[in-house]
Amino acid sequence: LKPALIAKGISPAFESSVETICAGRQVRGEIEYIFAVNFTPEEGYSIPKHGYGVPAPVSATITLPNDGRPVYEIAEYAKVDFKKSGEKQSASISFAPGQMLAFARTSRPVGGILVGAPSVSCDLTRENESPIRIELTAALVDNNRQLLAGTAPLQITVTDPVGVARYYLYRAAEGGVCSISLPLAANDAAGKWTVAVK
């Protein structure tokens, strides 16, 4: 299969110094997601005796193309430092048994999130929905404040005027934009509400 993929110009998601690191890739607009999964079995396993083996830890060198795009780790607890060398960049990673790491590569560096001014609407003609709702829009932008048109996870916190997190949820930006509508109660605290998106 490898020669056929090379002949078609299809490159691997990444190179690994260990064969039992499984690669995955998803592209959503201007964001490419790369997944590295450790399915290394313990030493001395055999399928007739142990099935597919007990997962084991392993250290591997993962190599990505150095094409100018940044690399972001999806999980904050798993920082990985890629060292650039010519057309490639590599990192030495210690994988726990069965561990998956995920990386995002954006076409341009992420600059942050722009949140539009939230609005509260009251429509008493709604029959099957809460009549009072807060509506907000957030956009993922690059370091020049231009839209990054891709699918990205967002953490959204809506805090009421007395400092209580009324909503704490995760949504995906589609095409770089996330628009949501959330119900509020008639007896919710009046005053200044806060919306934070990251």
Side-chain angles (χ1 to χ4, degrees), residues 143-194:
N143 54 353
N144 290 316
R145 299 176 70 86
Q146 299 297 310
L147 184 69
L148 271 172
T151 300
L154 301 178
Q155 177 186 315
I156 302 169
T157 306
V158 179
T159 306
D160 70 15
V162 294
V164 176
R166 181 71 163 77
Y167 285 100
Y168 183 82
L169 43 85
Y170 291 89
R171 292 293 185 270
E174 298 292 340
V177 178
C178 176
S179 296
I180 60 174
S181 177
L182 301 169
L184 298 178
N187 62 347
D188 273 329
K192 183 178 179 180
W193 287 62
T194 304

Side-chain angles (χ1 to χ4, degrees), residues 24-82:
R25 173 193 281 151
Q26 292 182 7
V27 178
R28 298 287 184 265
E30 293 186 282
I31 305 175
E32 175 187 19
Y33 291 97
I34 297 171
F35 305 92
V37 183
N38 174 26
F39 67 99
T40 307
E42 65 181 1
E43 191 174 350
Y45 92 101
S46 67
I47 290 179
K49 291 175 64 178
H50 306 104
Y52 287 100
V54 176
V58 71
S59 292
T61 299
I62 302 298
T63 302
L64 298 170
N66 181 20
D67 54 13
R69 293 179 299 153
V71 180
Y72 299 99
E73 300 85 57
I74 301 299
E76 293 183 4
Y77 60 84
K79 293 297 181 187
V80 177
D81 186 22
F82 282 89

